Amino acid sequence: MKKIWDGIIGLAIGDAIGVPVEFTSRQERVKDPVISMRAYGTHCQPRGTWSDDTSLTLALMDSIIKKNEIDYVDIMNKFSDWILYSDYTATGEVFDVGNATSRAIMNYGRGVNPLECGGICEYENGNGSLMRILPIAYYLQKHSDLTMESQMHIIHNISALTHRHPISLIGCGIYIKIAMNLLEDKWSLYEAVEQGIRTAVEYYEKKVWNDVYVYLRLMDLSAFLKLPDNEIKSSGYVVHTLESVLWCLLNTSSYAECVLKAVNLGDDTDTVGAVVGGLAGIYYGLDKIPKDWLDVLARRQYIEELCEKFI
C-alpha cells in the first residue's frame, strides 16, 4: 500500500506546482514556463502551498480513517470544517474555493441531505469532485469484493456531495477506474488508461447514460493522444480537465515532465496539476518526484501521517 503515499503526495505536489500560476493563459506559460516549484504568484502563497484540491482530498481521507467506512454526513462535516475553520489547509488559510463546492457546503449547512447537496444543472460540471476523489480508488482496492455496481454507486455518491450531474459522475468513474488499474501494477501506463476508460464506458453504455459521449474523444485513445496542444483545453470544466490530464500523462515519460506539461497548459493549473499528479505519482512512485519539490511541500509530515493511518 506504499502507493497511497505515491498518489496522495503526488497529487499535493501537482497542486502546489500549479497554485502560483492558476488562471494564467497558455500564452503566458509559453513565454515564462514553469520549470520548478514557485512562490507567490496568483494567490500570493509561499512555495509548496497546496489549495482546495488537496484540502478536500485530505478531508475525505480523514473521514474514511475515523469512520472506517464511507459516511456521507461525516464527509460533509469535514468539508464544512475546511471552509469554515480552515481545517485541512496548507497554511491555515482557505483560498481558491470553487463556486459549486461552496454552494454544496452551504446547502448542507441548511439541512439538505448530503447526497442532494451537489448541483445537478449542466453548467455545474466543474472539476470540483474529480479533484478530490482519488482516495476512493484505494478504498475500492481494499474492498475488492464489491460489485461493479456497488463501486460505481460509491464513486457517484462521493461526487454528488458537490457535483451531481451525470457528466461529473462519469468523469469521476473513468478516473477512478484508471487509478485502480494503476494500483494493480500489472499494466503498462497506456494499457491501464485504455482499459480503465473502456471499463467505465461499457458500464455507462449498458446503463444508457448518454452523457458518456461528451468523453467521446477518449474512446479512441491513440488518436486523441496525437492531437496538438491547441486542441487540448485546461479549463475547470470536468471534461476538459480529464482530457488534459490523460493527454499529459500519456505524452510524457516522468512525473516531473508530466506535471510541468500539465501546469504549462495554463488556466486551471492547480487542479489539472493535482489530478494528473495523483495518477503520475501512483505510476512513477514517490522516489521519482524531485526531492527539492518534496522538501518544500507544506505540511508534508501531516499528509504522510494521514497516509499511514489510511492503510
Side-chain angles (χ1 to χ4, degrees), residues 133-256:
I133 204 166
L134 184 60
I136 297 303
Y138 299 104
Y139 179 86
L140 294 178
Q141 183 192 42
K142 179 178 179 181
H143 296 271
S144 57
D145 57 325
L146 291 173
T147 64
M148 179 70 163
E149 189 68 32
S150 296
Q151 290 179 18
M152 288 304 202
H153 182 70
I154 290 171
I155 293 166
H156 296 161
N157 282 348
I158 293 293
S159 176
L161 297 173
T162 57
H163 295 70
R164 278 194 297 154
H165 192 277
I167 290 174
S168 290
L169 307 187
I170 292 166
C172 288
I174 294 171
Y175 181 74
I176 291 298
K177 282 297 160 185
I178 291 169
M180 290 175 69
N181 283 350
L182 292 173
L183 289 171
E184 288 184 15
D185 211 17
K186 68 177 184 180
W187 312 81
S188 71
L189 181 56
Y190 183 89
E191 289 170 341
V193 173
E194 184 180 46
Q195 183 61 35
I197 294 168
R198 183 182 300 120
T199 300
V201 168
E202 287 176 355
Y203 171 85
Y204 293 118
E205 286 181 330
K206 286 179 182 177
K207 295 290 181 180
V208 198
W209 284 35
N210 290 327
D211 286 298
V212 72
Y213 296 112
V214 300
Y215 294 95
L216 185 63
R217 297 206 302 179
L218 297 179
M219 297 176 198
D220 185 354
L221 190 59
S222 60
F224 170 73
L225 296 177
K226 295 174 185 175
L227 293 174
D229 63 0
N230 63 3
E231 293 193 38
I232 304 298
K233 297 180 181 179
S234 51
S235 76
Y237 178 39
V238 64
V239 178
H240 292 166
T241 297
L242 188 59
E243 285 187 343
S244 59
V245 160
L246 298 181
W247 186 83
C248 290
L249 183 67
L250 292 172
N251 279 313
T252 54
S253 57
S254 71
Y255 176 89

Side-chain angles (χ1 to χ4, degrees), residues 102-113:
S102 178
R103 281 193 296 270
I105 295 172
M106 286 191 289
N107 286 340
Y108 177 69
R110 297 186 186 104
V112 176
N113 182 295

Side-chain angles (χ1 to χ4, degrees), residues 56-159:
L56 291 171
T57 299
L58 299 180
L60 174 58
M61 286 179 67
D62 195 33
S63 177
I64 296 172
I65 289 166
K66 290 177 177 172
K67 304 297 288 190
N68 201 29
E69 62 179 355
I70 303 293
D71 183 325
Y72 303 113
V73 170
D74 189 70
I75 294 168
M76 287 303 285
N77 283 337
K78 287 179 168 47
F79 287 0
S80 299
D81 289 343
W82 161 70
I83 204 167
L84 294 173
Y85 308 116
S86 300
D87 288 0
Y88 309 106
T89 58
T91 60
E93 177 187 354
V94 175
F95 64 93
D96 192 29
V97 181
N99 292 331
T101 297
S102 178
R103 281 193 296 270
I105 295 172
M106 286 191 289
N107 286 340
Y108 177 69
R110 297 186 186 104
V112 176
N113 182 295
L115 296 180
E116 297 176 355
C117 286
I120 196 66
C121 298
E122 189 169 358
Y123 70 84
E124 293 179 288
N125 277 306
N127 51 28
S129 60
L130 182 67
M131 73 186 193
R132 58 170 171 77
I133 204 166
L134 184 60
I136 297 303
Y138 299 104
Y139 179 86
L140 294 178
Q141 183 192 42
K142 179 178 179 181
H143 296 271
S144 57
D145 57 325
L146 291 173
T147 64
M148 179 70 163
E149 189 68 32
S150 296
Q151 290 179 18
M152 288 304 202
H153 182 70
I154 290 171
I155 293 166
H156 296 161
N157 282 348
I158 293 293
S159 176

